[in-house]
Amino acid sequence: MTGMNNRKGALFMAAAMAGFTINDAMTKSLTHSLGVGQIIFLRGALACLFIYLLMRAQGIRPSLKPLGNPLISVRVACEMLSSVCYLTALSLIPLANAAAILQSLPLAVTFGAALVFRDPVGWRRWLAIIAGFVGVLIIIRPGAEGFTLPALYVVMTVFLAATRDLVTTRIHADTPSIVVTLLTAMGNSVAGFGLMAYQGWQPVNLPSFALLAAAALMLMGGYQCIILSMRSGEISFIAPFRYSSMLWAIGLGFLIFHEVPDLPMLIGMMIVVASGLYMFSRERKRRTIIAATAVTEGEA
């Protein structure tokens, strides 16, 4: 059953990364004509509508009561802040660069799990985490032209999203995933409205609205899939499938925005991905040894 759950979780993770990255490309293409707050608000509002209709079709009644759960409230707050940070960065730097920095998220999740939940992390995985963050530094290049405030926004997004994912694993399975998805989309709408009040409103033409609606569908699908993924199987098996988003980001960045990753970005990205894959390999090996030891002791 664990193997089936892991495969299901991996598929959900890959689907979530595709949805999120396509959504990123769509919203990035709108940042030249609409403010970041307006995009977040409209996209979130449309996502809320789509999710509400889906819930009605499934016979699930929308409710704000789950916000009384501190874990869900923290998750929604982290998603609100991370959306503002990431989309602000995305409007200013290439899609592939932002996505490459975001690949350090699994490392940050492991780092947070070790500090907060006291999950055991051996010295090899600590070295992998350090190497991964060195890769991030290569991507953002401190002291060089590539080191910018937007890059720091993506780094902030990483830590906010890591907190979000860690909290998600602790939310009780009795709470329907689609309810958490709706509350997350509502939180994004509120965050976007607050930012829009500061930035102002720009007219929205039909093509832009259609693109926002498509982005909202992708975002809704990504939210739902990431929650199902984190609640389906083992994080150590599922998390490496996050790296599939880099393929989408590089491809879409080239096709839509004519962005070509430079050498430091590619080197940093490879270090981050290699560190993450090694770390998860060590985690799976550790769990295998623990399982084998438990079986041996049970037979004794």
Side-chain angles (χ1 to χ4, degrees):
M1 182 63 70
T2 300
M4 183 180 297
N5 287 340
N6 282 342
R7 287 191 292 273
K8 183 169 67 173
L11 288 173
F12 280 132
M13 179 63 75
M17 293 304 102
F20 284 143
T21 311
I22 294 172
N23 158 73
D24 289 344
M26 290 176 172
T27 52
K28 180 177 174 63
S29 68
L30 292 168
T31 55
H32 68 281
S33 58
L34 301 176
V36 169
Q38 187 175 352
I39 292 173
I40 295 175
F41 169 69
L42 291 174
R43 186 186 63 181
L46 287 168
C48 287
L49 174 61
F50 296 147
I51 296 166
Y52 172 75
L53 294 175
L54 182 60
M55 292 178 71
R56 287 291 300 271
Q58 295 178 354
I60 301 174
R61 294 185 61 183
S63 174
L64 297 179
K65 288 184 179 180
L67 284 175
N69 182 339
L71 293 176
I72 294 179
S73 296
V74 170
R75 188 192 192 281
V76 172
C78 287
E79 184 66 40
M80 290 167 63
L81 293 172
S82 65
S83 294
V84 172
C85 288
Y86 189 64
L87 192 53
T88 300
L90 204 59
S91 67
L92 300 170
I93 61 176
L95 176 62
N97 286 50
I101 299 171
L102 207 59
Q103 298 316 299
S104 62
L105 179 57
L107 302 172
V109 169
T110 301
F111 179 78
L115 293 182
V116 178
F117 301 135
R118 304 301 180 185
D119 285 4
V121 177
W123 65 271
R124 292 182 181 86
R125 285 199 293 157
W126 278 118
L127 287 179
I129 291 172
I130 293 171
F133 289 136
V134 169
V136 171
L137 291 176
I138 293 174
I139 296 169
I140 63 179
R141 282 159 277 182
E145 186 180 349
F147 185 76
T148 61
L149 184 59
L152 292 181
Y153 282 144
V154 185
V155 174
M156 291 172 61
T157 302
V158 168
F159 286 100
L160 288 166
T163 304
R164 175 201 67 195
D165 287 353
L166 288 169
V167 167
T168 301
T169 64
R170 295 304 195 267
I171 296 175
H172 199 276
D174 288 345
T175 304
S177 296
I178 197 167
V179 172
V180 181
T181 302
L182 176 63
L183 294 174
T184 301
M186 290 174 63
N188 270 341
S189 297
V190 172
F193 183 81
L195 189 59
M196 183 183 65
Y198 171 75
Q199 293 179 337
W201 175 271
Q202 299 295 326
V204 183
N205 57 34
L206 184 58
S208 295
F209 185 81
L211 200 57
L212 278 169
L217 284 172
M218 290 294 170
L219 188 65
M220 179 187 73
Y223 282 155
Q224 186 71 358
C225 286
I226 197 73
I227 295 169
L228 290 170
S229 174
M230 299 303 291
R231 299 170 74 171
S232 293
E234 299 171 317
I235 295 179
S236 61
F237 182 89
I238 295 168
F241 288 86
R242 289 181 181 275
Y243 298 127
S244 62
S245 66
M246 274 310 308
L247 300 176
W248 287 97
I250 292 174
L252 292 172
F254 178 77
L255 292 174
I256 299 175
F257 307 109
H258 309 292
E259 299 169 350
V260 179
D262 59 15
L263 184 59
M265 198 282 286
L266 290 173
I267 292 174
M269 180 194 72
M270 287 188 290
I271 292 174
V272 171
V273 172
S275 299
L277 292 177
Y278 175 77
M279 183 185 67
F280 292 123
S281 174
R282 292 295 309 176
E283 172 64 13
R284 291 193 68 191
K285 183 177 181 181
R286 184 184 72 85
R287 290 181 180 274
T288 300
I289 292 173
I290 291 174
T293 301
V295 170
T296 302
E297 291 178 350
E299 294 175 348

